[in-house]
Amino acid sequence: MNQRFSKNIAPFVKQELTAACHASAVNNAQQAFVHLERAHVLGQESTYWHVKVHCLMLLWACRHRSVREARGQVFRIIGAATKTAFGWVPQGNTGGANVSPFRKMPIEPELAEVIQKARVGL
């Protein structure tokens, strides 16, 4: 996806990342990860946002001593960095190690609407 999409989706991804930080601040690790997953769905068509969210998921895994999640994120960071620009991402995938990195998933209607608006520049 192009730079225009990255710019258009940025406020929405940042909103989810801020919510993840707030959830972490009150020791709600699971809710923090939910917001990271939402940020992933929103930004996965942008190489920048896709890689950034996976790096933040890796950081989450390290903070919470989740070896499985950390291993999964290292693999996903490499994939995001090398495949996103070609559009080789499974739409809707939430990005966590608990799902296959190749699995296409349904997108919540609220997020799908935001993604569509970002694509057309609204």
Side-chain angles (χ1 to χ4, degrees), residues 16 37-38 41-42 107-116:
E16 291 297 335
E37 290 176 321
R38 288 172 57 88
V41 171
L42 288 168
I107 301 173
E108 292 178 36
E110 166 199 358
L111 300 182
E113 184 179 337
V114 169
I115 292 165
Q116 186 56 36

Side-chain angles (χ1 to χ4, degrees), residues 77-120:
I77 289 166
I78 294 166
T82 60
K83 309 289 188 260
T84 305
F86 300 105
W88 298 345
V89 294
Q91 268 192 331
N93 188 292
T94 53
N98 61 328
V99 296
S100 166
F102 308 107
R103 181 178 170 203
K104 186 176 178 179
M105 299 171 74
I107 301 173
E108 292 178 36
E110 166 199 358
L111 300 182
E113 184 179 337
V114 169
I115 292 165
Q116 186 56 36
K117 286 180 179 177
R119 285 178 182 150
V120 297

Side-chain angles (χ1 to χ4, degrees), residues 46-114:
S46 158
T47 300
Y48 173 79
W49 289 115
H50 197 183
V51 171
K52 181 173 180 92
V53 172
H54 279 299
C55 288
L56 293 170
M57 287 178 161
L58 175 59
L59 184 58
W60 181 96
C62 292
R63 285 184 178 147
H64 299 284
R65 296 185 171 99
S66 174
V67 174
R68 180 175 181 259
E69 190 65 47
R71 276 195 216 130
Q73 290 308 321
V74 169
F75 175 74
R76 285 161 175 79
I77 289 166
I78 294 166
T82 60
K83 309 289 188 260
T84 305
F86 300 105
W88 298 345
V89 294
Q91 268 192 331
N93 188 292
T94 53
N98 61 328
V99 296
S100 166
F102 308 107
R103 181 178 170 203
K104 186 176 178 179
M105 299 171 74
I107 301 173
E108 292 178 36
E110 166 199 358
L111 300 182
E113 184 179 337
V114 169

Side-chain angles (χ1 to χ4, degrees), residues 1-72:
M1 189 67 26
N2 61 34
Q3 289 181 326
R4 188 180 77 181
F5 176 81
S6 292
K7 181 182 175 191
N8 293 344
I9 203 69
F12 304 99
V13 175
K14 288 177 183 178
Q15 181 179 358
E16 291 297 335
L17 297 179
T18 298
C21 286
H22 289 297
S24 289
V26 296
N27 295 317
N28 191 339
Q30 292 311 111
Q31 190 60 39
F33 202 80
V34 167
H35 287 292
L36 290 173
E37 290 176 321
R38 288 172 57 88
H40 179 268
V41 171
L42 288 168
Q44 80 178 139
E45 292 181 30
S46 158
T47 300
Y48 173 79
W49 289 115
H50 197 183
V51 171
K52 181 173 180 92
V53 172
H54 279 299
C55 288
L56 293 170
M57 287 178 161
L58 175 59
L59 184 58
W60 181 96
C62 292
R63 285 184 178 147
H64 299 284
R65 296 185 171 99
S66 174
V67 174
R68 180 175 181 259
E69 190 65 47
R71 276 195 216 130

